[in-house]
Amino acid sequence: MPGLSSCQKSMQPVQTEVRVSTEIPELKGRVNDYAGLLSSDEINELSEISSTLEERTGAQLVILIVPTTGDQSIEDYSLAVMQAWKIGRAGYDDGSAIVLAIQDRRVRIELGYGTNTFFTNDMAQTVIDSFMMPSLIRGRYFEGLLNGALEMASIIEEKTPSNLLEPL
């Protein structure tokens, strides 16, 4: 099963004025901030990491920030997002997502089957624990997402098998 990595550590709570819904939100771009945490410059910086990754490898990375996943576990919610948004190339299934649920204080890296062949769940957990959580637990959400996205992009660029690389 793809993307079995999740984090159960606590983060700083944040007040949001966003409508709470557990429906899958609309895919707006590479970074989808439905909790209103990021500035436009921060969204652009994260989007650039995703864009560069796709240009170099063909793999797609999206980031979703929501107030809550409601009654759904973050595992079920992030998998539903990946399937609804169709992240990753057809036939390659090389998409990945970082899903951050602020009020639930949960973060997850969801990996498509293709990506999961070389980016293991243990590696995803290490990205969360070592690169994201030190910032997230202090309420530095952009920094945590940036660190996670940079490390994920680095691993995917390094580990993507040559038969999955697609010249763009």
Side-chain angles (χ1 to χ4, degrees):
M1 184 156 225
L4 298 177
S5 297
S6 67
C7 185
Q8 302 301 318
K9 296 180 182 175
S10 294
M11 297 182 296
Q12 295 283 336
V14 146
Q15 296 286 10
T16 59
E17 298 296 325
V18 178
R19 179 178 65 91
V20 174
S21 172
T22 57
E23 294 179 17
I24 303 302
E26 177 185 350
L27 175 64
K28 298 186 292 186
R30 296 174 188 278
V31 179
N32 302 269
D33 181 5
Y34 282 91
L37 293 180
L38 303 177
S39 71
S40 60
D41 287 344
E42 291 168 338
I43 289 171
N44 290 339
E45 189 170 347
L46 292 169
S47 294
E48 185 61 31
I49 294 166
S50 173
S51 176
T52 300
L53 175 66
E54 188 170 0
E55 288 170 10
R56 292 179 181 168
T57 68
Q60 298 175 342
L61 168 65
V62 298
I63 297 172
L64 172 61
I65 307 165
V66 293
T68 182
T69 62
D71 293 334
Q72 289 184 310
S73 69
I74 195 162
E75 295 83 4
D76 290 344
Y77 186 82
S78 61
L79 183 58
V81 166
M82 286 280 287
Q83 291 171 342
W85 288 358
K86 300 182 184 340
I87 304 304
R89 296 175 292 167
Y92 293 91
D93 200 13
D94 57 354
S96 56
I98 299 172
V99 178
L100 178 62
I102 299 300
Q103 293 170 3
D104 303 338
R105 298 188 316 204
R106 299 284 184 258
V107 62
R108 180 174 174 82
I109 292 175
E110 189 71 46
L111 304 168
Y113 287 112
T115 304
N116 204 221
T117 62
F118 60 88
F119 192 130
T120 67
N121 295 324
D122 286 342
M123 294 164 75
Q125 191 63 52
T126 298
V127 170
I128 290 171
D129 291 342
S130 299
F131 294 89
M132 298 178 71
M133 287 308 297
S135 298
L136 295 176
I137 61 175
R138 290 172 178 78
R140 298 194 310 248
Y141 299 108
F142 169 69
E143 182 179 290
L145 291 167
L146 178 65
N147 293 341
L150 285 169
E151 185 62 16
M152 284 181 68
S154 175
I155 292 168
I156 292 169
E157 284 186 40
E158 178 185 331
K159 304 277 186 188
T160 297
S162 59
N163 64 319
L164 294 181
L165 294 175
E166 177 181 271
L168 298 175

